[in-house]
Amino acid sequence: PNIDTVVDMSCATGLFTRRFVQKYPRVFGCDYSDSMLTEARRQSSSSSSGSTNQKLTWIRCDVGQLPMQSHSVPALHAGAAMHCWPELVQGLSEIYRVLQPSGRYFATTFLSSYFGRLQQAGGTSNQVSTQAFQYFGSVEELRDLCVAGGFARHLVDIEVLGNACVVIRCEKEA
């Protein structure tokens, strides 16, 4: 499909958002955190030309209640974000709702073994487990969440890089 707009959900400081602006005509950087969006705006204004700002819109929103019309977005990205969402199925359902037919959802996250390794590396026993993260035990668990959000199982592709980094690619049925 022709991708003329990309939504970067849970964009944080906008690292990927700024990269998308270089390639796509229209980009929305979305995050729940005002402070993240403030930093994203600051970094964007210090690193971009005036024409870039016309292509980019920052929006404070919750992934569980996206302020976009149904079937309006050709591509949505969520980099290292899903494990931070409090209501995963609601967020994935909203992503599915706003995607156009044949629209694409791309995400990265981590399997729970990653957080265990972080704990061991830091020498702390409880620090990571007290954080507000979702823990994904397997690729099948992630696939089931995407399907529960509306994606057809055969259009969900999940790849594990290394031991625990996960790349998710979903396509909405045409």
Side-chain angles (χ1 to χ4, degrees):
N2 180 26
I3 298 177
D4 60 355
T5 302
V6 173
V7 172
D8 191 14
M9 188 65 232
S10 301
C11 67
T13 62
L15 175 67
F16 282 102
T17 315
R18 291 187 302 280
R19 291 175 185 246
F20 292 142
V21 166
Q22 296 170 8
K23 184 170 181 171
Y24 299 101
R26 191 80 179 106
V27 178
F28 293 90
C30 302
D31 205 286
Y32 185 77
S33 168
D34 276 329
S35 58
M36 285 293 184
L37 287 173
T38 297
E39 181 61 18
R41 284 183 190 99
R42 187 190 69 74
Q43 289 191 29
S44 178
S45 66
S46 67
S47 67
S48 67
S49 66
S51 63
T52 300
N53 291 335
Q54 296 170 6
K55 297 170 61 171
L56 174 60
T57 303
W58 300 105
I59 301 172
R60 183 185 181 278
C61 65
D62 182 341
V63 68
Q65 297 178 338
L66 295 175
M68 296 155 196
Q69 293 180 356
S70 297
H71 318 294
S72 65
V73 175
L76 193 142
H77 169 262
M82 284 177 58
H83 51 274
C84 298
W85 298 345
E87 299 292 334
L88 278 160
V89 173
Q90 177 64 32
L92 289 165
S93 295
E94 274 293 278
I95 289 166
Y96 187 83
R97 178 187 67 79
V98 302
L99 282 176
Q100 296 173 347
S102 299
R104 306 238 170 112
Y105 169 58
F106 300 94
T108 54
T109 191
F110 307 96
L111 295 176
S112 57
S113 56
Y114 171 80
F115 295 107
R117 277 195 275 291
L118 272 185
Q119 245 175 308
Q120 291 171 350
T124 59
S125 61
N126 216 6
Q127 185 179 3
V128 174
S129 63
T130 61
Q131 299 295 317
F133 291 127
Q134 304 283 336
Y135 293 98
F136 307 118
S138 69
V139 165
E140 272 314 302
E141 180 182 350
L142 284 164
R143 186 180 322 279
D144 289 345
L145 286 164
C146 292
V147 170
F151 293 98
R153 187 170 294 278
H154 71 282
L155 294 175
V156 175
D157 178 53
I158 301 176
E159 177 183 3
V160 179
L161 304 176
N163 294 320
C165 182
V166 179
V167 178
I168 301 167
R169 298 173 194 93
C170 301
E171 184 175 334
K172 185 173 182 177
E173 290 188 285

